[in-house]
Amino acid sequence: MDLTPKRASESATEMVQVVLPNDANPLGYILGGTVMHLIDIAGAIACHRHTRTLLVTAAVDDLQFLHSIKVGDLIILKSRVTCVFTTSLEVRVDVFSEEILTGRRQLTSTAFLTFVAIDRDGGKVRVAPLLTETDEERLVCEEARRRRELRLSRKSQVASHKT
Ligand SMILES: CC(C)(COP(=O)(O)OP(=O)(O)OC[C@H]1O[C@@H](n2cnc3c(N)ncnc32)[C@H](O)[C@@H]1OP(=O)(O)O)[C@@H](O)C(=O)NCCC(=O)NCCS
Protein backbone atom coordinates (compact mmCIF):
# COMPACT_ATOMS: atom_id res chain seq x y z
CA MET A 1 0.00 0.00 0.00
CA ASP A 2 1.41 3.38 -1.02
CA LEU A 3 1.14 5.68 2.02
CA THR A 4 2.98 8.63 0.47
CA PRO A 5 1.22 11.84 1.56
CA LYS A 6 -0.76 13.52 -1.21
CA ARG A 7 -2.15 16.99 -1.83
CA ALA A 8 -5.91 17.55 -2.16
CA SER A 9 -5.27 19.09 -5.56
CA GLU A 10 -3.97 15.73 -6.83
CA SER A 11 -7.35 14.05 -6.36
CA ALA A 12 -9.73 17.00 -6.83
CA THR A 13 -12.38 16.10 -9.36
CA GLU A 14 -14.90 17.93 -11.52
CA MET A 15 -17.83 16.10 -13.11
CA VAL A 16 -20.11 17.79 -15.64
CA GLN A 17 -23.21 16.42 -17.28
CA VAL A 18 -26.32 17.72 -18.97
CA VAL A 19 -29.63 17.14 -17.17
CA LEU A 20 -31.76 14.94 -19.41
CA PRO A 21 -35.53 14.30 -19.18
CA ASN A 22 -34.87 10.86 -17.75
CA ASP A 23 -33.20 12.47 -14.69
CA ALA A 24 -36.17 14.74 -13.97
CA ASN A 25 -39.50 14.86 -12.15
CA PRO A 26 -42.73 15.82 -13.99
CA LEU A 27 -41.95 19.53 -13.41
CA GLY A 28 -38.75 19.19 -15.42
CA TYR A 29 -36.33 19.50 -12.47
CA ILE A 30 -33.62 17.00 -11.63
CA LEU A 31 -34.64 14.48 -8.95
CA GLY A 32 -33.04 14.93 -5.53
CA GLY A 33 -32.11 11.23 -5.57
CA THR A 34 -30.25 11.67 -8.85
CA VAL A 35 -28.26 14.57 -7.36
CA MET A 36 -27.46 12.44 -4.29
CA HIS A 37 -26.26 9.63 -6.55
CA LEU A 38 -23.98 12.01 -8.46
CA ILE A 39 -22.66 13.47 -5.18
CA ASP A 40 -21.76 9.96 -4.00
CA ILE A 41 -19.96 9.24 -7.30
CA ALA A 42 -18.07 12.57 -7.39
CA GLY A 43 -17.01 12.16 -3.75
CA ALA A 44 -15.94 8.57 -4.32
CA ILE A 45 -13.82 9.45 -7.36
CA ALA A 46 -11.79 12.05 -5.44
CA CYS A 47 -11.33 9.57 -2.58
CA HIS A 48 -10.33 6.73 -4.93
CA ARG A 49 -7.78 9.03 -6.53
CA HIS A 50 -6.39 9.83 -3.09
CA THR A 51 -6.39 6.31 -1.65
CA ARG A 52 -6.14 4.05 -4.71
CA THR A 53 -8.17 1.51 -2.69
CA LEU A 54 -11.68 0.14 -2.67
CA LEU A 55 -14.06 2.29 -0.60
CA VAL A 56 -17.46 2.23 1.06
CA THR A 57 -19.56 5.26 1.88
CA ALA A 58 -19.82 5.48 5.67
CA ALA A 59 -21.77 8.73 6.03
CA VAL A 60 -23.34 11.61 4.14
CA ASP A 61 -23.95 14.76 6.18
CA ASP A 62 -27.21 16.66 5.88
CA LEU A 63 -27.96 17.91 2.42
CA GLN A 64 -29.79 21.05 1.30
CA PHE A 65 -31.08 21.76 -2.20
CA LEU A 66 -30.84 25.55 -2.52
CA HIS A 67 -32.07 25.85 -6.13
CA SER A 68 -33.66 23.49 -8.60
CA ILE A 69 -31.76 22.41 -11.70
CA LYS A 70 -33.85 22.08 -14.84
CA VAL A 71 -33.68 19.78 -17.83
CA GLY A 72 -31.17 21.18 -20.32
CA ASP A 73 -28.97 22.79 -17.63
CA LEU A 74 -25.53 21.47 -16.82
CA ILE A 75 -24.94 19.94 -13.40
CA ILE A 76 -21.36 20.40 -12.19
CA LEU A 77 -19.95 18.55 -9.19
CA LYS A 78 -16.59 19.54 -7.69
CA SER A 79 -15.13 17.20 -5.10
CA ARG A 80 -12.07 17.68 -2.91
CA VAL A 81 -10.66 15.69 -0.01
CA THR A 82 -10.77 17.85 3.13
CA CYS A 83 -9.10 15.61 5.71
CA VAL A 84 -7.73 12.12 6.08
CA PHE A 85 -8.04 10.17 9.34
CA THR A 86 -6.73 6.60 9.70
CA THR A 87 -8.83 4.33 7.49
CA SER A 88 -11.40 6.98 6.62
CA LEU A 89 -11.41 10.32 4.87
CA GLU A 90 -13.81 13.20 4.37
CA VAL A 91 -14.59 14.77 1.01
CA ARG A 92 -16.50 17.95 0.18
CA VAL A 93 -18.73 18.01 -2.89
CA ASP A 94 -20.09 21.32 -4.23
CA VAL A 95 -22.91 21.09 -6.75
CA PHE A 96 -23.62 23.86 -9.28
CA SER A 97 -26.16 24.39 -12.02
CA GLU A 98 -25.13 26.16 -15.20
CA GLU A 99 -27.52 27.50 -17.82
CA ILE A 100 -26.23 26.52 -21.23
CA LEU A 101 -27.31 29.71 -23.05
CA THR A 102 -26.25 32.31 -20.44
CA GLY A 103 -23.50 30.54 -18.50
CA ARG A 104 -25.22 31.59 -15.25
CA ARG A 105 -23.89 29.37 -12.48
CA GLN A 106 -25.49 28.81 -9.07
CA LEU A 107 -24.35 26.77 -6.09
CA THR A 108 -27.18 24.31 -5.41
CA SER A 109 -25.75 22.01 -2.70
CA THR A 110 -22.71 21.35 -0.57
CA ALA A 111 -22.21 17.90 0.89
CA PHE A 112 -19.64 16.28 3.16
CA LEU A 113 -19.18 12.54 2.81
CA THR A 114 -17.02 10.05 4.67
CA PHE A 115 -15.54 7.03 2.92
CA VAL A 116 -13.75 4.08 4.52
CA ALA A 117 -10.94 2.32 2.66
CA ILE A 118 -11.26 -1.45 2.48
CA ASP A 119 -9.42 -4.37 0.91
CA ARG A 120 -10.99 -7.12 -1.21
CA ASP A 121 -11.96 -9.06 1.95
CA GLY A 122 -13.73 -6.04 3.42
CA GLY A 123 -10.95 -5.37 5.96
CA LYS A 124 -10.23 -1.72 6.70
CA VAL A 125 -6.94 -0.35 5.40
CA ARG A 126 -4.86 2.70 6.22
CA VAL A 127 -5.10 5.70 3.95
CA ALA A 128 -2.23 7.89 2.73
CA PRO A 129 -2.07 11.13 4.76
CA LEU A 130 -3.20 14.42 3.26
CA LEU A 131 -0.50 17.04 2.71
CA THR A 132 -1.77 20.32 4.12
CA GLU A 133 0.55 23.12 3.11
CA THR A 134 -1.44 26.31 3.66
CA ASP A 135 -3.24 27.78 6.67
CA GLU A 136 -6.49 27.46 4.74
CA GLU A 137 -5.93 23.73 4.09
CA ARG A 138 -5.11 23.18 7.77
CA LEU A 139 -8.31 25.03 8.77
CA VAL A 140 -10.38 22.94 6.34
CA CYS A 141 -8.96 19.78 7.92
CA GLU A 142 -9.55 21.08 11.45
CA GLU A 143 -13.21 21.78 10.59
CA ALA A 144 -13.48 18.27 9.14
CA ARG A 145 -12.16 16.81 12.41
CA ARG A 146 -14.90 18.65 14.31
CA ARG A 147 -17.58 17.35 11.90
CA ARG A 148 -16.15 13.84 12.35
CA GLU A 149 -16.64 14.03 16.13
CA LEU A 150 -20.28 15.07 15.67
CA ARG A 151 -20.84 12.37 13.05
CA LEU A 152 -19.43 9.62 15.26
CA SER A 153 -21.51 10.79 18.18
CA ARG A 154 -24.63 10.75 15.94
CA LYS A 155 -23.67 7.28 14.77
CA SER A 156 -23.54 6.03 18.38
CA GLN A 157 -26.98 7.50 19.00
CA VAL A 158 -28.42 5.83 15.88
CA ALA A 159 -26.73 2.52 16.72
CA SER A 160 -28.18 2.61 20.23
CA HIS A 161 -31.70 2.75 18.68
CA LYS A 162 -31.21 -0.68 17.08
CA THR A 163 -34.09 -3.09 17.79
C1 LIG B 1 -18.53 2.07 7.24
C2 LIG B 1 -18.09 0.77 7.90
C3 LIG B 1 -16.97 0.12 7.06
C4 LIG B 1 -17.55 1.12 9.27
O1 LIG B 1 -17.26 -0.09 9.89
P1 LIG B 1 -17.03 -0.16 11.48
O2 LIG B 1 -16.58 -1.54 11.80
O3 LIG B 1 -18.17 0.43 12.20
O4 LIG B 1 -15.83 0.81 11.51
P2 LIG B 1 -14.91 1.30 12.68
O5 LIG B 1 -15.67 1.72 13.89
O6 LIG B 1 -13.76 0.34 12.84
O7 LIG B 1 -14.38 2.62 11.96
C5 LIG B 1 -13.56 2.57 10.82
C6 LIG B 1 -13.37 3.97 10.35
O8 LIG B 1 -14.58 4.45 9.80
C7 LIG B 1 -14.99 5.62 10.46
N1 LIG B 1 -16.43 5.58 10.52
C8 LIG B 1 -17.20 4.51 10.79
N2 LIG B 1 -18.49 4.85 10.73
C9 LIG B 1 -18.53 6.15 10.43
C10 LIG B 1 -19.58 7.08 10.24
N3 LIG B 1 -20.86 6.73 10.34
N4 LIG B 1 -19.26 8.35 9.92
C11 LIG B 1 -17.97 8.71 9.80
N5 LIG B 1 -16.93 7.88 9.97
C12 LIG B 1 -17.21 6.62 10.29
C13 LIG B 1 -14.35 5.55 11.84
O9 LIG B 1 -14.22 6.82 12.39
C14 LIG B 1 -13.03 4.93 11.47
O10 LIG B 1 -12.22 5.91 10.89
P3 LIG B 1 -10.62 5.98 11.14
O11 LIG B 1 -10.05 4.60 10.94
O12 LIG B 1 -10.16 6.90 10.07
O13 LIG B 1 -10.42 6.51 12.53
C15 LIG B 1 -19.29 -0.24 8.06
O14 LIG B 1 -20.23 0.31 8.95
C16 LIG B 1 -19.95 -0.54 6.73
O15 LIG B 1 -19.47 -1.36 5.98
N6 LIG B 1 -21.09 0.12 6.47
C17 LIG B 1 -21.82 -0.09 5.22
C18 LIG B 1 -21.18 0.73 4.13
C19 LIG B 1 -22.03 0.70 2.89
O16 LIG B 1 -22.58 -0.31 2.55
N7 LIG B 1 -22.12 1.86 2.23
C20 LIG B 1 -22.99 2.04 1.10
C21 LIG B 1 -22.54 1.34 -0.09
S1 LIG B 1 -20.86 1.59 -0.49
Side-chain angles (χ1 to χ4, degrees), residues 2-120:
D2 181 6
L3 292 178
T4 313
K6 287 184 193 162
R7 295 177 178 81
S9 56
E10 294 175 63
S11 55
T13 295
E14 181 169 328
M15 273 170 46
V16 184
Q17 68 180 62
V18 65
V19 178
L20 295 172
N22 205 32
D23 305 319
N25 65 20
L27 296 170
Y29 298 120
I30 193 168
L31 293 162
T34 305
V35 178
M36 289 192 263
H37 173 73
L38 293 173
I39 287 172
D40 193 27
I41 303 283
I45 292 172
C47 291
H48 280 301
R49 284 174 159 173
H50 182 90
T51 63
R52 297 297 175 193
T53 66
L54 301 174
L55 297 166
V56 288
T57 314
V60 182
D61 291 8
D62 88 312
L63 195 53
Q64 314 272 340
F65 298 102
L66 303 176
H67 305 281
S68 44
I69 309 179
K70 59 184 185 303
V71 168
D73 285 349
L74 299 180
I75 178 167
I76 299 155
L77 298 104
K78 294 186 181 188
S79 55
R80 191 178 178 92
V81 172
T82 54
C83 202
V84 167
F85 310 111
T86 306
T87 64
S88 67
L89 67 171
E90 189 199 72
V91 61
R92 172 181 176 140
V93 182
D94 289 316
V95 184
F96 301 87
S97 62
E98 184 183 307
E99 287 179 352
I100 284 187
L101 296 183
T102 62
R104 189 167 83 110
R105 209 178 252 216
Q106 280 186 298
L107 177 74
T108 65
S109 300
T110 293
F112 293 98
L113 295 85
T114 305
F115 289 88
V116 178
I118 56 166
D119 60 23
R120 289 193 184 279

Side-chain angles (χ1 to χ4, degrees), residues 135-149:
D135 286 347
E136 193 190 336
E137 285 175 339
R138 282 186 280 275
L139 179 65
V140 163
C141 189
E142 200 41 55
E143 288 170 352
R145 288 185 189 284
R146 283 199 285 272
R147 281 189 294 274
R148 175 176 184 268
E149 291 309 312

